[in-house]
Amino acid sequence: MRRLAPEFFARDATVVAPDLLNKRFVVGECAGRIIEVEAYTSDDPASHCFNGRTARNAVMFGPPGHLYVYFTYGMHYCVNLSTGADGDGQGVLLRAVTPLTGVELMRLRRRGRPDRSLTDGPAKLAQAFALDLTANGEPAEVYDDGVPPPPAPLVGPRIGITKAVEWPRRFRVPPPPE
DNA sequence: GCCTGGATTGTCT
DNA sequence: GACAATCCAGGCA
């Protein structure tokens, strides 16, 4: 199992995003396989970086391969990986993973939720992995454990935004047949 | 300084 | 399927 080097993340977010599918995201005891992501670039009106560097989004302008965690809607955290060169404001939002290890911990942190709801949304996976503002700016732990990205990832419009909604920058691993 | 709206989720009907 | 919850960053006066 090979840990992804900073060079992996030092590319355009739209290139890194589909390449992250089926990779292994690790935080402490917990690991999950990345199945859905969204790319955010500096020329994207929906990106936090669109209006330039601020204290909040500094991590996305920093070196690639770091965690950018932000707080939104007064109650939720979302997790991004910084991409592009140092000084470039881009990132990839982790939207969903499937739990691999540390599932017990995730169940504890998401008390009362069925297993399928542990990590199937951006704020949910942040909670399941116990990621909050203290994790902001930490180096990201992502591994290639031999599972290649899907040959034909589903590409579609992004979810939950009001600007540039039509930009097809959401990438998803095709769901298993029911 | 004040005001607005958000990269969402859970709960209720 | 629809809406309320809830706080802070960014924009403008």
Side-chain angles (χ1 to χ4, degrees):
Chain A
M1 187 155 72
R2 184 173 58 87
R3 178 165 179 176
L4 299 183
E7 290 75 41
F8 177 92
F9 298 98
R11 299 173 293 163
D12 195 89
T14 55
V15 178
V16 177
D19 227 14
L20 275 171
L21 295 175
N22 279 335
K23 294 292 185 287
R24 178 185 284 241
F25 178 66
V26 179
V27 177
E29 314 246 326
C30 298
R33 188 170 312 289
I34 299 169
I35 58 170
E36 188 170 338
V37 296
E38 283 179 11
Y40 285 88
T41 53
S42 51
D43 61 347
D44 181 349
S47 169
H48 291 169
C49 295
F50 184 62
N51 289 303
R53 183 177 195 146
T54 64
R56 179 213 212 176
N57 63 31
V59 174
M60 280 209 279
F61 283 89
H66 287 244
L67 294 174
Y68 167 53
V69 183
Y70 69 89
F71 188 67
T72 192
Y73 287 93
M75 59 185 79
H76 294 302
Y77 295 101
C78 293
V79 186
N80 300 247
L81 304 174
S82 65
T83 67
D86 194 353
D88 216 351
Q90 0 175 316
V92 174
L93 169 73
L94 298 183
R95 283 199 62 88
V97 305
T98 53
L100 293 174
T101 66
V103 184
E104 290 305 318
L105 263 176
M106 295 184 192
R107 288 202 189 100
L108 220 64
R109 290 165 181 155
R110 310 239 334 115
R111 209 174 179 73
R113 306 292 154 213
D115 275 15
R116 54 171 303 154
S117 296
L118 288 180
T119 56
D120 66 343
K124 298 180 191 177
L125 79 89
Q127 188 180 1
F129 282 87
L131 292 170
D132 57 19
L133 295 184
T134 63
N136 192 38
E138 295 286 313
E141 253 188 274
V142 185
Y143 294 87
D144 180 350
D145 58 1
V147 181
L154 301 179
V155 183
R158 291 170 298 184
I159 305 293
I161 57 174
T162 57
K163 300 165 191 165
V165 174
E166 72 282 5
W167 292 24
R169 294 207 170 163
R170 181 166 63 104
F171 303 92
R172 190 158 62 108
V173 175
E178 293 290 329

